[in-house]
Amino acid sequence: MARRKVVAGNWKMNMTPSEAKALVETLKPLVESNDVDVIYCVPAIDIVPVVEAVKGTKVEVGAENMYIEEKGAFTGEISPNMLTDAGCKYVIIGHSERRQYFKEDDAFLNKKVLKAFEHGLVPILCCGETLEQREAGVTLDWINLQIKSDLQGVTKEQAASMIIAYEPIWAIGTGKTATSEQAQEVCCAIRKTVAGIFDTDTAEKIRIQYGGSVNAKTAPELFSMPDIDGGLVGGAALKPDFGQIVNYRN
Ligand code: PEP
């Protein structure tokens, strides 16, 4: 069975609650699609208003991060059960900005992945190499390592239901999109890694996105590659271009 494409917006630390509601209204007619799943991953404070604003559409809402405990003395954190109660279905885990600025390592991210599943949240697990790693020729080894560490203890049914986003760090927010061939090579390698950990059936089911300066121009070719099942979109997710990315086939 063919995998459904999935296009997710990562709003990062943008949009106040009132701006968020306005953006959802602007995008409403533009993101309608019967064959692409659309997700808005939004700042924690925007989750409730965005869940409300997307009612009546097919758009689902995700968080950009979460903590690994249900409640307690973790000032400033947000728990998985808070996310599900607010209407989130997805959560981004291990975005390179979290890894880089907040020092989240693979052992911690593995706990987050397991915790998300425990609460019925679908993880959008990010991985990706730096420019130095690409130039040193260690991209595939590095990503293999990230995926193996982050998926420890995950069942094959869980893996089949999740999303992995391949996001080369040198392409995020730089306007420098990876070529379709570069993105396909790594997404294909990720699928092989998943097949190695679980089996080919799981690898055929898991959805793998490309992320890194995706725009309305680059989306059609990227998303037509055999192992790229859609995109995780940063900057362009805040503009009407997002509608063109969702409807990249037209
Ligand atoms: C991202 O933040 O996940 C991302 C891919 O950003 P951008 O599209 O702006 O490069």
Side-chain angles (χ1 to χ4, degrees), residues 10 12 95 97 167 171-174 211-214 232-235:
N10 171 17
K12 310 200 188 201
H95 191 279
E97 289 151 16
E167 298 209 309
I172 297 177
T174 57
S213 299
V214 172
L232 182 56
V233 182

Side-chain angles (χ1 to χ4, degrees), residues 30-81:
L30 308 176
V31 299
E32 279 176 22
S33 169
N34 286 324
D35 52 4
V36 174
D37 292 337
V38 180
I39 307 164
Y40 297 156
C41 295
V42 306
I45 197 162
D46 295 338
I47 290 169
V48 169
V50 169
V51 166
E52 187 60 32
V54 299
K55 274 195 181 139
T57 76
K58 294 186 193 132
V59 175
E60 298 281 13
V61 179
E64 298 177 12
N65 184 32
M66 58 160 236
Y67 195 56
I68 54 169
E69 300 288 345
E70 275 84 20
K71 61 179 179 175
F74 304 102
T75 303
E77 292 296 322
I78 188 155
S79 69
N81 41 306

Side-chain angles (χ1 to χ4, degrees), residues 134 139-140 143 166 182-191:
R134 176 157 283 270
T139 298
L140 299 186
I143 284 165
Y166 165 54
Q182 286 171 325
Q184 164 60 24
E185 184 194 23
V186 181
C187 290
C188 175
I190 292 172
R191 208 174 293 288

Side-chain angles (χ1 to χ4, degrees), residues 3-250:
R3 291 179 296 273
R4 259 175 90 78
K5 300 282 182 188
V6 54
V7 176
N10 171 17
W11 289 12
K12 310 200 188 201
M13 199 177 71
N14 295 296
M15 299 284 132
T16 63
S18 34
E19 288 168 345
K21 280 192 269 182
L23 179 62
V24 171
E25 290 312 320
T26 306
L27 293 179
K28 228 170 232 180
L30 308 176
V31 299
E32 279 176 22
S33 169
N34 286 324
D35 52 4
V36 174
D37 292 337
V38 180
I39 307 164
Y40 297 156
C41 295
V42 306
I45 197 162
D46 295 338
I47 290 169
V48 169
V50 169
V51 166
E52 187 60 32
V54 299
K55 274 195 181 139
T57 76
K58 294 186 193 132
V59 175
E60 298 281 13
V61 179
E64 298 177 12
N65 184 32
M66 58 160 236
Y67 195 56
I68 54 169
E69 300 288 345
E70 275 84 20
K71 61 179 179 175
F74 304 102
T75 303
E77 292 296 322
I78 188 155
S79 69
N81 41 306
M82 289 172 181
L83 297 180
T84 51
D85 189 65
C88 277
K89 295 273 185 333
Y90 296 84
V91 59
I92 297 178
I93 292 177
H95 191 279
S96 62
E97 289 151 16
R98 301 282 331 164
R99 292 177 187 259
Q100 188 183 343
Y101 305 139
F102 302 96
K103 307 286 173 254
E104 296 190 3
D105 62 14
D106 288 309
F108 185 48
L109 296 172
N110 176 235
K111 288 188 185 157
K112 288 196 180 193
V113 167
L114 296 173
K115 203 70 189 175
F117 279 127
E118 200 181 305
H119 286 269
L121 286 161
V122 176
I124 302 176
L125 173 68
C126 300
C127 59
E129 82 286 6
T130 62
L131 187 59
E132 294 70 39
Q133 288 172 317
R134 176 157 283 270
E135 285 172 353
V138 299
T139 298
L140 299 186
D141 288 341
W142 172 249
I143 284 165
N144 187 32
L145 200 72
Q146 284 187 317
I147 299 298
K148 280 190 174 154
S149 316
D150 298 346
L151 294 189
Q152 271 186 55
V154 168
T155 68
K156 65 177 187 174
E157 290 76 21
Q158 289 171 333
S161 72
M162 71 182 290
I163 298 172
I164 292 179
Y166 165 54
E167 298 209 309
I169 296 170
W170 48 271
I172 297 177
T174 57
K176 202 173 162 201
T177 318
T179 65
S180 302
E181 290 71 28
Q182 286 171 325
Q184 164 60 24
E185 184 194 23
V186 181
C187 290
C188 175
I190 292 172
R191 208 174 293 288
K192 284 199 183 124
T193 298
V194 172
I197 306 171
F198 304 98
D199 51 31
T200 46
D201 181 53
T202 309
E204 282 309 310
K205 286 183 180 147
I206 196 168
R207 292 191 287 181
I208 304 175
Q209 298 174 316
Y210 165 77
S213 299
V214 172
N215 58 44
K217 268 210 187 97
T218 55
E221 195 181 309
L222 283 161
F223 297 177
S224 68
M225 302 308 273
D227 286 297
I228 302 181
D229 305 316
L232 182 56
V233 182
L238 304 173
K239 300 189 244 171
D241 295 39
F242 191 68
Q244 284 173 266
I245 298 173
V246 169
N247 289 293
Y248 69 97
R249 285 199 182 99
N250 309 333

